[in-house]
Amino acid sequence: MNIGIDIEEVERFIKYVKNKKFLERVFAKEEISHSIPRKNAAQCLAARFAAKEAVWKALSTRNKFTITDISVRNNKDGKPQVYIKNKKYKRIDISLSHTDKYVAAVAIAF
């Protein structure tokens, strides 16, 4: 079992909300379409980014992919799920949390 954690400042992502090149380089289409329409788009993007970083850290000893291969999508109940190279990765759980200023993510790989 491995654990990864990440924390990000929401303010850092405010400038990225309208930066299409950055968004397409770092986030999957599903992450962008989930985040951008929201009132709190920067917070949502920051949480997705923190989740990617946490997953990357949890899988660092066995990864053969890049951080851009990781995406986070919510299931029908709203629970975040990890996808790697567009395939659901069932051996990892993630949890996201946020305030107005910070987001955090924890990933546990088993």
Side-chain angles (χ1 to χ4, degrees), residues 89-101:
Y89 197 83
K90 296 178 183 178
R91 298 185 60 209
I92 194 160
D93 283 328
I94 60 172
S95 180
L96 310 176
S97 189
H98 59 81
T99 67
D100 289 341
K101 294 183 180 186

Side-chain angles (χ1 to χ4, degrees), residues 40-97:
N40 58 352
Q43 184 183 64
C44 194
L45 289 171
R48 295 295 191 246
F49 187 82
K52 291 169 169 281
E53 287 284 328
V55 168
W56 177 259
K57 291 170 184 176
L59 298 176
S60 66
T61 59
R62 51 187 154 162
N63 60 18
K64 294 183 181 177
F65 48 86
T66 66
I67 197 163
T68 56
D69 292 330
I70 302 166
S71 64
V72 178
R73 305 174 198 169
N74 292 11
N75 69 12
K76 64 181 178 178
D77 298 323
K79 183 179 190 297
Q81 306 284 302
V82 175
Y83 286 75
I84 297 178
K85 296 183 179 179
N86 287 319
K87 293 182 182 174
K88 188 175 176 184
Y89 197 83
K90 296 178 183 178
R91 298 185 60 209
I92 194 160
D93 283 328
I94 60 172
S95 180
L96 310 176
S97 189

